[in-house]
Amino acid sequence: MKEGAMAQAKGKGRILVGVGIVVVVLCAAAFAFDRYALATTYARHEEPSVSLLPSYEMYERDYPRSDVQFELNGRVLRGHVYGQDNDRGLIIFRHGIFSQHEHYLPFITAMADKGWRVFAYDAIGCGDSDGDSALGMSQSPIDVAAAVDFARESGMAEGMRIGLWGHSWGGYGVAAALAKRPDDVSACVTMSGFDTPMKILDSSAASAYGLAGKAQWPFLWLNTAIDFGSDANLSASDAIVSSGVPTLVFHGTGDTTVPYEGVSILHALQQRDASLAQARISLTTLSQEGRCGHNDYFYGPESQAYLQECAADLEELLAQAGENPDDPAVRAYLEGVDLRRANTADPEIVATIDAFFGETLSQR
């Protein structure tokens, strides 16, 4: 009987070992899959050959700019200063992921018109900056902090206070960077930003893969922790509150890129018991239909309508041309589009941001 019991115990032991091996293999495979998926996702995105996005070519005559660059971990990040003779204050602008600062020129130039000096740069792996990869969601506040250091050390901000301003990935970056440079920044504007990298990664994985995506959370976390260490999952809402830096937060209730509920900075701040007004935190919830998404509130109603009309026409032309961007009809149509009109910053949003910076960056 003892021999039978021992045999039975050995059999169970083999089963447990087998199950353990399977679990380890599956976990290793999940980790490797996420490693590959993240590397592929963050790889440099090239500019589309057909686009209605703004570029400096549209603004060059009216908005001269100076070239600047700074280094971060052996890579050169390149940018420009707009309104270089303005002296109301220095605003450092950080763009969203898979983008570059020129895509935000309607806003940047509008703020230069208001008398602000705007330093806008391209993140690692984006636009004119070095790198084959944007590295990850956690990267944004790291390079924002480096940009603040550069602005101080180069004399760019001499005699002026510094404000931070960003959208999406950049919206997270400028807010989370307050934890790194609370004494160097006097104000922050964050638009459509996520509260933590893990919140947006979890949301994106669940959206793409359902329950299987939710199960990837431990492996996404491990990959992010390996790459960024203590900077892996900084909370933007925590940084805003703890820094005491006056902050203006925008987010749309219909945002499907950075979902409003459970993911956004604005929603995270709303869940807090502390008085946001006393902390000089202003929340702007956008809920108007057609103007409550990730970036559709950027443009005025007329500009937005014209942009949508052009996009529909271009889509039809491309379909007729077999998706050939070099088709003569497609090129001729693009040459006739008024891109400045299609990309005009919403005057109310500009006025709100201008008033906020005017109050917080004042030299009184």
Side-chain angles (χ1 to χ4, degrees):
M1 291 192 57
K2 287 184 178 181
E3 291 180 358
M6 291 178 62
Q8 189 176 22
K10 288 182 179 179
K12 289 181 178 180
R14 292 192 189 97
I15 292 172
L16 289 174
V17 170
V19 169
I21 291 173
V22 170
V23 169
V24 169
V25 170
L26 289 176
C27 287
F31 173 83
F33 171 80
D34 281 350
R35 197 80 181 154
Y36 172 78
L38 290 171
T40 303
T41 298
Y42 296 133
R44 177 181 284 273
H45 283 52
E46 298 301 330
E47 283 289 285
S49 55
V50 175
S51 172
L52 296 173
L53 290 168
S55 65
Y56 184 59
E57 199 177 324
M58 300 158 46
Y59 299 89
E60 187 171 6
R61 186 179 64 180
D62 301 321
Y63 296 93
R65 66 187 186 184
S66 58
D67 302 339
V68 293
Q69 64 181 46
F70 60 99
E71 285 194 21
L72 178 61
N73 298 329
R75 297 180 178 88
V76 176
L77 277 66
R78 298 178 178 84
H80 305 277
V81 178
Y82 299 83
Q84 52 194 334
D85 295 325
N86 295 343
D87 60 5
R88 288 184 70 191
L90 177 70
I91 299 172
I92 300 176
F93 181 82
R94 178 55 156 76
H95 63 79
I97 202 163
F98 314 135
S99 183
Q100 56 181 285
H101 87 272
E102 287 193 5
H103 295 167
Y104 296 83
L105 279 173
F107 271 114
I108 292 169
T109 55
M111 293 302 285
D113 286 340
K114 297 289 187 180
W116 301 102
R117 187 180 301 176
V118 184
F119 165 33
Y121 67 95
D122 294 333
I124 288 175
C126 301
D128 292 330
S129 291
D130 287 355
D132 296 325
S133 168
L135 302 183
M137 295 298 182
S138 307
Q139 177 63 33
S140 191
I142 297 172
D143 63 59
V144 171
V148 171
D149 293 342
F150 172 69
R152 287 289 187 204
E153 294 165 4
S154 67
M156 184 192 301
E158 185 174 359
M160 295 184 291
R161 292 179 177 171
I162 292 177
L164 300 180
W165 177 23
H167 171 249
S168 190
W169 186 36
Y172 165 70
V174 296
L178 297 179
K180 292 177 166 292
R181 300 293 185 272
D183 298 327
D184 293 311
V185 177
S186 299
C188 178
V189 175
T190 173
M191 308 171 77
S192 305
F194 50 88
D195 184 40
T196 70
M198 287 313 304
K199 284 183 180 180
I200 189 63
L201 287 173
D202 185 42
S203 173
S204 299
S207 177
Y209 304 110
L211 289 176
K214 296 290 287 185
Q216 293 297 112
W217 191 94
F219 310 107
L220 290 170
W221 176 87
L222 182 57
N223 273 289
T224 305
I226 288 172
D227 290 337
F228 294 99
S230 60
D231 289 323
N233 202 40
L234 297 177
S235 166
S237 61
D238 283 350
I240 291 169
V241 173
S242 65
S243 70
V245 174
T247 302
L248 173 61
V249 185
F250 292 90
H251 212 99
T253 56
D255 192 333
T256 57
T257 303
V258 178
Y260 167 79
E261 189 167 345
V263 180
S264 71
I265 296 172
L266 193 149
H267 189 258
L269 289 168
Q270 287 177 328
Q271 305 309 300
R272 293 174 178 266
D273 295 330
S275 171
L276 299 182
Q278 187 176 358
R280 301 185 72 186
I281 300 170
S282 178
L283 306 183
T284 301
T285 303
L286 305 162
S287 56
Q288 180 183 345
E289 186 176 354
R291 298 182 62 75
C292 61
H294 194 56
N295 54 15
D296 55 7
Y297 60 92
F298 280 9
Y299 308 113
E302 193 280 333
S303 178
Q304 186 184 54
Y306 178 62
L307 177 61
Q308 290 172 346
E309 176 188 331
C310 292
D313 291 344
L314 186 57
E315 183 179 7
E316 184 177 347
L317 281 171
L318 282 168
Q320 293 172 357
E323 303 302 324
N324 177 13
D326 297 318
D327 183 85
V330 172
R331 304 321 301 184
Y333 180 80
L334 286 172
E335 289 176 8
V337 172
D338 183 348
L339 288 175
R340 289 281 287 268
R341 178 187 171 195
N343 293 277
T344 300
D346 182 88
E348 292 186 13
I349 297 289
V350 171
T352 300
I353 296 173
D354 175 54
F356 174 76
F357 278 136
E359 178 184 351
T360 54
L361 300 186
S362 170
Q363 296 297 310
R364 291 196 302 269

